[in-house]
């Protein structure tokens, strides 16, 4: 069987896939990191529609069109800020992957790309975040035919090495 999980290194805004996931903040009004890159590449249409969404709670996901992005949709999810693991961060991060995948299924996305949610300025430990991401995606794909494929887009070398170790054995 063809592999349903892929790892690539690079800029998620360049991918021509059905949906890319944005590691947004709860305002959904843009920010730094991958969020800033997605808004910059998508153009002002994305921010305009995001203003109408009324924000998004941590662990939830909302979908928009991709505007000027090569991706058709953007799934905006809000990862938890790491605070010593005392605020249900692992469960909330798992929920980001579950809810994002559920949106992808609803919108009939075949290929979905995820960044390494919460591992930037939100400081979630990278190894634990990757374990949660891989576990949730693997479980979801076992019981759903869509999406057909999930791409983990690793921006930094450290995340790339962690994902390769977790998935390539
Ligand atoms: P968070 O607030 O959820 O931590 P960040 O955007 O700060 O979000 O970081 C999340 C991850 O996205 C980090 O691993 C960061 O290296 C990565 N990242 C930053 N820019 C891009 C990009 N253009 N494409 C893919 N990943 C990116």
């Amino acid at each position: 069987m063809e592999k349903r999980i892929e790892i690539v290194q690079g800029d998620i805004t360049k991918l021509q896939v059905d949906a890319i996931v944005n590691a947004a903040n709860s305002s959904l009004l843009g920010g730094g990191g991958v969020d800033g890159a997605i808004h910059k590449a998508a153009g002002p249409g994305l921010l305009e529609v995001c203003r109408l969404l009324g924000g998004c709670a941590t662990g939830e996901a909302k979908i928009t069109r991709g505007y000027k992005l090569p991706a058709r949709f953007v799934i905006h999810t809000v990862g938890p800020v790491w605070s010593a693991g005392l605020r249900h961060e692992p469960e909330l991060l798992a929920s980001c992957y579950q809810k994002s995948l559920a949106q992808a299924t609803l919108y009939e996305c075949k290929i979905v790309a995820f960044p390494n949610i919460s591992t930037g300025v939100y400081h979630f430990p990278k190894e634990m975040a990757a374990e949660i991401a891989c576990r949730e995606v693997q479980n979801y794909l076992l019981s759903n035919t869509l999406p057909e494929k999930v791409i983990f887009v690793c921006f930094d070398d450290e995340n790339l090495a962690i994902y390769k170790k977790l998935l390539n054995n």
Side-chain angles (χ1 to χ4, degrees), residues 10-12 23 32-34 37 115-122 153 155-156 159:
D11 180 355
I12 200 167
V34 70
N116 307 134
I117 301 165
S118 283
T119 67
V121 297
Y122 283 4
V153 182
F155 200 63
D156 56 274
N159 267 314

Side-chain angles (χ1 to χ4, degrees), residues 74-102:
V74 179
I75 298 169
H76 307 263
T77 190
V78 182
V81 178
W82 182 256
S83 48
L86 300 170
R87 296 189 175 187
H88 306 286
E89 297 94 315
E91 293 86 345
L92 289 165
L93 186 62
S95 175
C96 287
Y97 285 92
Q98 293 161 8
K99 297 281 174 78
S100 296
L101 289 162

Side-chain angles (χ1 to χ4, degrees), residues 63-81:
I63 192 165
T64 66
R65 285 176 42 218
Y67 296 88
K68 289 182 178 167
L69 288 164
R72 193 146 75 95
F73 296 109
V74 179
I75 298 169
H76 307 263
T77 190
V78 182
V81 178

